[in-house]
Amino acid sequence: GTAALLLFAATIALLDRRGIVRIGASTTVGEVRRGLRRRDDALARAFDAVAAAFERRAYAGAAVGETQWQHARSAFASFDAPP
């Protein structure tokens, strides 16, 4: 649960630090998603995997299953590759 929240925060920080999307205090998950889709569909798909785990935990209060967690971690690894 907490890991999904931290992975999402790390994803947002990485995307902002690399200038892929600009994040403000009130930026929503949907705004990030739309910005990524305009830029690169592959980035958007990877973000969706991380965001799905985050949304499941943060908004639904549900547990993140092992398969979803592994998918989110793999997606993050694609962001974490050197630019």
Side-chain angles (χ1 to χ4, degrees), residues 1 12 52 61-62 72:
I12 293 297

Side-chain angles (χ1 to χ4, degrees), residues 18-40:
R18 290 198 178 157
I20 296 170
V21 291
R22 289 290 164 218
I23 306 298
S26 63
T27 303
T28 67
V29 174
E31 290 169 334
V32 174
R33 185 177 284 125
R34 283 188 295 278
L36 288 172
R37 281 197 181 115
R38 283 191 297 270
R39 183 180 176 115
D40 183 328

Side-chain angles (χ1 to χ4, degrees), residues 1-9 54 57 62 64 69:
T2 302
L5 303 177
L6 294 172
L7 186 68
F8 183 77
F54 166 78
R57 180 66 184 116
V64 175
W69 171 243

Side-chain angles (χ1 to χ4, degrees), residues 7-8 11 13 15 17 23-24 26 33 48 53 70-71 76 80:
L7 186 68
F8 183 77
T11 299
L15 293 172
R17 186 176 69 243
I23 306 298
S26 63
R33 185 177 284 125
D48 284 345
Q70 291 303 327
H71 188 59
F76 178 76
D80 202 30

